[in-house]
Amino acid sequence: MRNQLIARWGTQLIVSSVTIAVGMLWENSRIIATETAQAEEKEPDIELTVIDKLLNEPVFSPFRREGTVKDSTRPVYVITGEEMEAQGVRTVREALRFLPGILGDGTVGTEVNALSGQFIRGSNTGQVLILLDGRPINNLGGGGFDLSEFTTNNIERVEVLPGGGSTLYGSDAIGGVINIVTRRPTEQITTETKVNFGSYGLNQQSIQNSGKSGDISWVVGYNRTQAQNNYRFTIPEANFEGTRTNNDALYNNFNVKLEANLGKRNTLTLSTLYLGKEQGVPGGVPIPFPQFGQGFFNSLTENNRKYTDQVLTDLTWNSKLGSGDDSLLTARVYADFLNTRFDNRSGAITSQNRFDTKQDSYGIQVTHNWNVAKNKTLVYGFDYRNTNVRNTTFNYGTSITRENYDDAIGQGAIFGRYEINFSPSFSMNLGVRQDFSSLVNGSFTSPSVGAKFAVSDATTIRANYIRNFRAPTIANLFNNNPTNIGNPDLKPEQGDSFDVGIDQKLGNIGLLRLTFFSNRVSDTIAFKRLTPPVNGNTGTWENIGLVQTTGIEASLNLQLARNVYAFVNYTANDPRILASANPAEVDKELRFAGADKLNLGVSYENPQGWYFGVLMNSLNGYPTNNINTEFLSGYTTFDLKMRVPISDSLVLTGSLDNLFDQRYQLFPGFPDGGRVFQVGLSSRF
């Protein structure tokens, strides 16, 4: 109850503060505008570009075509490659930290290789769809995708679309969509190199070459990232103090993109990413109390290792139909090969195992974007994806390999989205998708509707509804491990996402975006223990539970003076369990997903590329179990960032993160890395 009151009063305080700030800033903007007009002959106006910069940011995920933030009825948040460089971001997981709408901190640490965890509007990581250049890459064996696998040297931007996206993208989009957009070739032949050094043995090098020759253009790159992450830490709940060991990581990532112009109206693009990573798995400190609590079964593992070896490749053909620029056909075929090996070499030889997972995915996407008229746009097409996953366990003591599952899922769909601008101030969109699946209960219909109304030049109101779903994973359905037997009769998880919001320009100095949302998920797939065991099986999965999340996403961006910017964003989540097989969970907060998040930042940026910023990230406390008897404390960190051009082709970057050395845990018994620094030098020629 105390945490509920804190969250409620915190939400009211933030909303009240934003309201007061809006009024003050609005009045100040009128005064500034009047004074500026009077002094026009004496000095030029301040260049105020923050509103245009935000609203004209290119995005793909809300439309399944190229568009801008201002065109969308949905709230969508973007971080660009330039912003990632200025913030010292090393992986896509880290890029999400200061964006509203998402709780993107890892759940087992703050290192460069820390396992990614995404929580959007009360959903878990498996309920967030990950796209690579607009196509799905989620792991259909166990669910989700680890965003720490992607280093940022080849990333143009990352988009976060809260509120689901099944109408355009199908399964796994219950909570939201994250779209990773890779770099396009440059017109001039350009080479970029970067070296980066930092705390705990961080050592990073990357090189990218991009250019065009005749009708062929390319991007080719390589990134190597290494770190030891052997820091000191304490876990007071376990009376433990020591040094983190077996926490090293080594990345070797390659990227290739080749683009050919086949005449003036056709292009063919081949894109391939290789993501290779080896890392130690240090485990966590056992938490003795409460008995059988979230951290009770932790163990520190000095010999456990994890290896990932992933290839993501696609071939895309774009063709402008007819003789104009109002009809674009996009056809894509893709193939992904995801291999993961986990070596558990702790304890007696009879308990040491190797777990191997191999996933092969083959897919087709065909999309037609057609401007039917000046005020009407139709996007339609079909998708197909076939995924086979094989999971085995090898015991080092007996040398016996056991197959846990080796099965496939075929998913096909037809979809359409129609958008009409009734007037310059009012637009609507209607969408529907029908998914077909090889699963008995896997087919699903996903409608959506959105509207946007410009009350004035400064104020726009928007509203959306989306029906979403998530098909069970292959492990949920077909696992043959005695402790986790699959249930082939599982139904998809189902979700309804509503939001209503306002975009308010504050004179010429800023933009306030405020969104109220409700996200409802039913038929939640949860693990069920079988007591007594049935045919030797001790557990399975079943459809149980209903969760409804209500909350606020607020984002305020300002230009305070020439080259001086500030931002505030606040995300409030209240995920309530409305139905569960366990009565003790009813009306409780869903674990991990209910933290409220506050980000602040002030920066100096100029057209010459200089950047100095102070950024704050704050998370309040949250429960770690569904009966809300165990909690983790919140934390607040401050980071210093800089980017200094030394010459036209040489740039120095640096950051000091967690300035005040705030120590905290993201999962019971798993520590953070404390204060860290990094310094980088990049060149472009």
Side-chain angles (χ1 to χ4, degrees):
M1 178 63 69
R2 180 174 179 271
N3 282 346
Q4 295 177 25
L5 290 172
I6 291 173
R8 187 178 300 115
W9 280 104
T11 301
Q12 294 177 357
L13 178 61
I14 291 295
V15 173
S16 300
S17 300
V18 169
T19 304
I20 295 170
V22 168
M24 295 174 61
L25 288 166
W26 181 266
E27 183 63 24
N28 286 341
S29 69
R30 291 198 312 107
I31 296 172
I32 291 172
T34 302
E35 292 176 347
T36 303
Q38 293 173 350
E40 188 174 8
E41 296 181 357
K42 298 181 181 180
E43 59 180 332
D45 289 343
I46 295 176
E47 297 178 4
L48 301 171
T49 61
V50 64
I51 297 176
D52 289 338
K53 179 181 177 182
L54 289 169
L55 293 182
N56 293 320
E57 194 73 60
V59 289
F60 178 91
S61 50
F63 317 103
R64 196 155 166 168
R65 61 172 174 81
E66 293 299 329
T68 64
V69 170
K70 68 181 179 183
D71 298 327
S72 176
T73 63
R74 305 274 303 278
V76 57
Y77 310 106
V78 181
I79 182 170
T80 65
E82 292 81 2
E83 292 169 329
M84 294 182 212
E85 181 185 50
Q87 294 179 13
V89 170
R90 300 165 296 187
T91 67
V92 170
R93 179 186 71 84
E94 295 177 346
L96 305 175
R97 192 177 191 206
F98 296 104
L99 292 181
I102 180 170
L103 307 179
D105 282 339
T107 53
V108 291
T110 57
E111 301 82 7
V112 64
N113 56 294
L115 181 67
S116 174
Q118 299 81 235
F119 300 88
I120 302 179
R121 296 187 178 181
S123 63
N124 58 46
T125 298
Q127 295 168 331
V128 175
L129 179 64
I130 309 300
L131 302 176
L132 177 64
D133 291 324
R135 67 175 182 85
I137 58 172
N138 278 41
N139 186 320
L140 296 188
F145 195 98
D146 184 4
L147 295 181
S148 74
E149 300 282 339
F150 287 97
T151 51
T152 55
N153 54 295
N154 184 44
I155 307 302
E156 179 179 305
R157 68 179 186 267
V158 179
E159 306 167 3
V160 175
L161 181 68
S166 289
T167 301
L168 290 178
Y169 301 108
S171 179
D172 299 335
I174 281 183
V177 174
I178 297 173
N179 186 28
I180 303 166
V181 181
T182 58
R183 287 189 179 187
R184 294 285 307 279
T186 55
E187 289 293 324
Q188 302 295 324
I189 297 178
T190 304
T191 299
E192 298 180 31
T193 63
K194 184 171 184 178
V195 294
N196 199 35
F197 301 94
S199 300
Y200 311 132
L202 176 67
N203 181 1
Q204 188 174 40
Q205 307 89 35
S206 66
I207 183 169
Q208 292 280 334
N209 180 265
S210 178
K212 183 177 182 180
S213 178
D215 291 328
I216 304 296
S217 53
W218 67 89
V219 180
V220 180
Y222 167 67
N223 176 280
R224 180 186 183 275
T225 301
Q226 188 173 23
Q228 295 300 317
N229 300 316
N230 51 348
Y231 51 82
R232 297 283 299 174
F233 73 102
T234 61
I235 303 294
E237 298 87 341
N239 194 27
F240 179 91
E241 181 175 354
T243 299
R244 202 73 161 140
T245 59
N246 190 37
N247 199 24
D248 60 297
L250 175 63
Y251 291 73
N252 282 286
N253 289 359
F254 296 87
N255 60 276
V256 176
K257 181 175 289 187
L258 303 174
E259 188 172 291
N261 291 327
L262 308 178
K264 295 182 178 180
R265 305 186 64 79
N266 294 273
T267 60
L268 190 65
T269 304
L270 174 66
S271 179
T272 300
L273 292 180
Y274 171 79
L275 308 177
K277 184 169 67 169
E278 176 187 349
Q279 65 184 92
V281 182
V285 176
I287 307 297
F289 184 81
Q291 190 176 24
F292 309 125
Q294 291 296 303
F296 185 81
F297 296 101
N298 290 345
S299 62
L300 294 174
T301 53
E302 296 185 355
N303 300 311
N304 289 5
R305 308 290 293 178
K306 181 184 177 183
Y307 306 86
T308 55
D309 178 27
Q310 311 190 70
V311 178
L312 309 167
T313 186
D314 63 74
L315 181 66
T316 304
W317 173 49
N318 287 296
S319 179
K320 293 182 179 179
L321 304 182
S323 58
D325 295 328
D326 58 358
S327 179
L328 177 65
L329 178 67
T330 301
R332 169 185 284 157
V333 294
Y334 59 90
D336 300 331
F337 307 96
L338 313 181
N339 302 313
T340 303
R341 190 182 94 205
F342 176 74
D343 276 345
N344 176 11
R345 302 307 301 265
S346 301
I349 188 67
T350 54
S351 63
Q352 296 181 17
N353 297 287
R354 184 181 73 232
F355 304 91
D356 289 280
T357 303
K358 298 183 182 297
Q359 172 174 306
D360 299 338
S361 295
Y362 303 92
I364 302 172
Q365 287 184 328
V366 177
T367 306
H368 184 205
N369 292 282
W370 183 18
N371 295 330
V372 181
K374 288 185 178 180
N375 65 330
K376 300 175 184 178
T377 302
L378 177 63
V379 178
Y380 66 95
F382 73 89
D383 297 335
Y384 179 75
R385 186 186 187 196
N386 183 273
T387 302
N388 181 272
V389 187
R390 184 173 188 263
N391 178 273
T392 60
T393 301
F394 172 80
N395 184 274
Y396 285 101
T398 62
S399 296
I400 295 175
T401 298
R402 182 183 71 244
E403 183 178 270
N404 299 317
Y405 51 84
D406 184 3
D407 286 279
I409 293 178
Q411 298 172 316
I414 55 174
F415 66 90
R417 181 181 185 271
Y418 182 67
E419 182 177 338
I420 181 169
N421 297 317
F422 292 99
S423 70
S425 61
F426 179 58
S427 65
M428 285 190 66
N429 60 77
L430 300 170
V432 66
R433 179 185 178 102
Q434 179 61 54
D435 276 86
F436 307 96
S437 176
S438 59
L439 307 178
V440 173
N441 296 313
S443 300
F444 202 82
T445 304
S446 305
S448 68
V449 59
K452 183 175 63 172
F453 178 61
V455 180
S456 66
D457 290 340
T459 306
T460 300
I461 297 173
R462 45 186 166 74
N464 299 276
Y465 165 76
I466 309 99
R467 179 73 167 158
N468 305 292
F469 81 104
R470 175 178 180 256
T473 67
I474 290 179
N476 295 151
L477 294 164
F478 307 122
N479 200 17
N480 197 32
N481 187 316
T483 61
N484 298 288
I485 190 70
N487 179 0
D489 296 323
L490 288 173
K491 297 182 295 183
E493 297 178 330
Q494 304 179 41
D496 293 286
S497 180
F498 302 86
D499 65 62
V500 59
I502 182 171
D503 296 342
Q504 178 66 54
K505 297 178 183 178
L506 308 177
N508 289 324
I509 67 168
L511 179 67
L512 171 67
R513 309 185 70 199
L514 187 64
T515 303
F516 298 88
F517 65 84
S518 173
N519 208 41
R520 189 179 179 96
V521 181
S522 60
D523 289 327
T524 305
I525 297 172
F527 183 72
K528 176 185 178 181
R529 294 193 179 279
L530 298 177
T531 306
V534 178
N535 297 325
N537 299 314
T538 59
T540 187
W541 282 274
E542 64 179 359
N543 291 106
I544 60 172
L546 172 65
V547 176
Q548 180 167 334
T549 305
T550 55
I552 299 172
E553 295 161 5
S555 176
L556 176 63
N557 291 81
L558 300 167
Q559 183 164 2
L560 304 178
R562 183 187 296 274
N563 301 326
V564 179
Y565 300 87
F567 75 86
V568 182
N569 62 63
Y570 177 69
T571 303
N573 291 286
D574 185 18
R576 291 289 154 182
I577 302 172
L578 303 184
S580 173
N582 181 359
E585 296 179 352
V586 176
D587 202 33
K588 302 297 185 181
E589 186 176 282
L590 189 68
R591 66 180 193 142
F592 294 109
D596 295 344
K597 172 183 170 182
L598 175 65
N599 294 134
L600 302 171
V602 179
S603 63
Y604 172 86
E605 308 171 46
N606 69 18
Q608 290 73 42
W610 291 73
Y611 174 91
F612 294 95
V614 180
L615 308 179
M616 186 198 83
N617 179 48
S618 182
L619 215 66
N620 77 332
Y622 52 88
T624 59
N625 65 3
N626 286 339
I627 59 175
N628 295 181
T629 58
E630 298 179 51
F631 292 82
L632 279 179
S633 300
Y635 58 89
T636 300
T637 60
F638 291 85
D639 301 342
L640 302 179
K641 312 285 187 178
M642 76 168 189
R643 183 182 189 273
V644 179
I646 299 175
S647 67
D648 291 340
S649 60
L650 200 61
V651 174
L652 175 69
T653 58
S655 65
L656 182 61
D657 295 344
N658 198 350
L659 178 63
F660 301 109
D661 201 26
Q662 170 79 63
R663 304 310 297 262
Y664 53 93
Q665 300 170 52
L666 292 166
F667 187 89
F670 287 78
D672 77 299
R675 184 191 299 116
V676 294
F677 76 90
Q678 58 178 324
V679 177
L681 194 64
S682 61
S683 64
R684 180 185 177 96
F685 54 90

